[in-house]
Amino acid sequence: MATVSFKGATRVYPGSETPAVDRLDLDIADGEFMVLVGPSGCGKSTSLRMLAGLEEVNEGSIYIGDRDVTNFPPKERDIAMVFQNYALYPHMSVADNMGFALKMQGLPKDERAKRVADAAKLLGLEEFLDRKPKALSGGQRQRVAMGRAIVRDPQVFLMDEPLSNLDAKLRVQTRTQIAELQHRLDVTTVYVTHDQIEAMTMGERVAVLKDGRLQQVDTPLGLYDRPKNVFVAGFMGSPAMNLIEAEITDGGAKIGDYVVPIERSLLAKAGGDKTVTLGIRPEAFHIADEGLPVRVAVIEELGSDAFLYGAAEHTTLNQQVIARIGTRTHSEKGALVYLAPQPEKVHVFSTSSEKRLSA
Ligand code: ADP
């Protein structure tokens, strides 16, 4: 086990002007499950590959424990990586796939067999050890790929979108299994995904990246409750937080004719801006007698939850709004409802800097 630290780690691909990863500072604790999340192209895989030694670090450094591994080749880093496509050898049995790296390391046959058997037991793969990968389901192949990493007993696991080849239902099951397994093995893990739900459900902490820059790192709920900027606010949470530009007025911020009450001291932080950006999660709205008038476009009824999608009346761009409402409320398409936000749940951001102004 070991800590992992990125210290100003930067990667500029040859021929590119802008860094793919720009001065990344990130400390990962011993045994921690850290998720790197962000939209496609934000630099997640490059960060992971720098840690793996598969990508050059142009500036800054990377530590595993107290070892500066910045210039170490991959095999000297004591890490094991699980790739998106699993990269299993088709002509080898499951057991041989799992034991291959150990064989390369020159580990004696008995020791190899023991480690493979232990990992197979842990992963429920015992009955498949003699099969070839093509005779396995997608979920079983995924577990073999995990097994291959586990048998190596590394200091750090690196996982790059390991669930992306599974169907939706299996993905949900497998993410719980991986999180549970990681917890049991207690090995420091860096996990890359573009899926914010995966990040929220699996990570002990989550690092959100955009355009090669770290935006925020916090626990899932820390990110959800106190996003540092408009990007994190909009990226984490599903359906997404409503982000509404509202005109600063006496005692609040105005969306169309409706004023959301906001403390004067908070509005004062907006500097010279004439507007603030309000962040209101769907569940922070409720249907009330007074509130923001919204014309219902669609009600998404999920049984356990229901979401109302509509456009706020009297706003310039027919501001789109999403609210979680009680199920079976029977609001109809075209109806006018009044949505009131819970004042303590309204996030306030600077419109110009996009940074959080609320406490
Ligand atoms: P993510 O994993 O978040 O989708 P990547 O780390 O793969 O993002 O890519 C970050 C940026 O670096 C993107 O703009 C991508 O186009 C660029 N990039 C990735 N790999 C290479 C490469 N081998 N050569 C040049 N540019 C690359």
Side-chain angles (χ1 to χ4, degrees):
M1 294 224 301
T3 56
V4 169
S5 294
F6 290 87
K7 298 182 191 291
T10 298
R11 173 66 177 143
V12 186
Y13 284 107
S16 175
E17 306 255 297
T18 48
V21 176
D22 194 358
R23 288 163 289 168
L24 176 62
D25 284 313
L26 183 61
D27 290 318
I28 303 166
D30 198 10
E32 187 171 27
F33 195 129
M34 172 67 78
V35 176
L36 307 184
V37 73
S40 179
C42 71
K44 307 177 291 290
S45 296
T46 304
S47 304
L48 198 72
R49 291 169 61 82
M50 286 197 288
L51 174 56
L54 300 171
E55 210 64 72
E56 196 182 328
V57 178
N58 301 108
E59 264 176 59
S61 51
I62 295 179
Y63 281 74
I64 297 178
D66 51 14
R67 295 185 304 155
D68 180 348
V69 299
T70 315
N71 297 310
F72 282 24
K75 65 177 178 2
E76 285 173 27
R77 296 190 180 207
D78 203 2
I79 49 145
M81 191 147 171
V82 182
F83 292 96
Q84 193 173 120
N85 59 9
Y86 316 145
L88 302 178
Y89 301 110
H91 58 285
M92 284 186 199
S93 68
V94 166
D96 288 345
N97 261 288
M98 281 168 62
F100 186 67
L102 304 181
K103 193 172 177 181
M104 291 293 104
Q105 284 171 17
L107 225 66
K109 201 171 174 186
D110 291 356
E111 174 65 18
R112 267 169 19 218
K114 181 177 178 321
R115 288 212 205 170
V116 169
D118 287 350
K121 191 167 175 204
L122 202 60
L123 293 159
L125 286 170
E126 287 156 304
E127 57 189 297
F128 307 109
L129 283 172
D130 294 330
R131 288 204 197 167
K132 297 275 166 62
K134 70 171 186 305
L136 299 176
S137 71
Q140 289 158 350
R141 279 179 215 169
Q142 203 284 326
R143 276 184 278 153
V144 177
M146 287 290 296
R148 237 179 11 177
I150 291 171
V151 294
R152 296 175 57 186
D153 193 20
Q155 287 201 311
V156 187
F157 285 132
L158 308 185
M159 303 189 192
D160 193 355
E161 306 250 4
L163 305 184
S164 57
N165 287 332
L166 305 180
D167 66 47
K169 194 171 172 191
L170 198 56
R171 219 160 41 218
V172 172
Q173 284 172 9
T174 313
R175 77 181 183 222
T176 332
Q177 286 164 3
I178 292 183
E180 201 260 333
L181 191 64
Q182 191 277 340
H183 195 69
R184 206 146 29 119
L185 296 171
D186 208 22
V187 175
T188 313
T189 300
V190 189
Y191 184 105
V192 161
T193 180
H194 66 276
D195 180 346
Q196 54 86 22
I197 296 182
E198 230 168 86
M200 288 287 288
T201 51
M202 297 180 80
E204 281 173 77
R205 285 192 304 153
V206 177
V208 185
L209 294 158
K210 179 189 176 232
D211 299 335
R213 297 230 171 99
L214 180 63
Q215 305 290 305
Q216 184 170 2
V217 51
D218 205 338
T219 58
L221 280 181
L223 292 174
Y224 194 82
D225 292 340
R226 293 195 68 247
K228 260 176 140 171
N229 59 36
V230 169
F231 176 78
V232 176
F235 190 75
M236 302 303 287
S238 174
M241 183 189 272
N242 297 284
L243 291 163
I244 306 173
E245 191 173 337
E247 190 189 333
I248 298 171
T249 173
D250 208 23
K254 220 167 147 186
I255 311 169
D257 296 333
Y258 177 67
V259 177
V260 179
I262 295 168
E263 276 180 39
R264 208 177 287 266
S265 58
L266 189 51
L267 292 172
K269 291 191 198 169
D273 288 359
K274 291 201 162 40
T275 64
V276 284
T277 301
L278 301 181
I280 305 171
R281 294 225 178 258
E283 70 270 23
F285 271 127
H286 60 278
I287 296 178
D289 294 333
E290 281 178 36
L292 179 65
V294 170
R295 188 70 61 187
V296 178
V298 178
I299 303 271
E300 232 177 47
E301 178 67 71
L302 303 171
S304 59
D305 270 322
F307 293 98
L308 179 156
Y309 293 77
E313 299 262 297
H314 319 301
T315 54
T316 37
L317 295 164
N318 282 336
Q319 173 71 52
Q320 299 299 301
V321 177
I322 308 172
R324 189 176 78 190
I325 56 171
T327 61
R328 302 163 173 89
T329 39
H330 304 296
S331 286
E332 281 174 22
K333 185 175 173 184
L336 188 68
V337 295
Y338 293 91
L339 294 178
Q342 272 172 268
E344 73 281 7
K345 292 206 169 160
V346 175
H347 305 250
V348 183
F349 301 96
S350 157
T351 301
S352 54
S353 74
E354 302 201 339
K355 287 189 179 144
R356 181 182 189 83
L357 300 175
S358 327

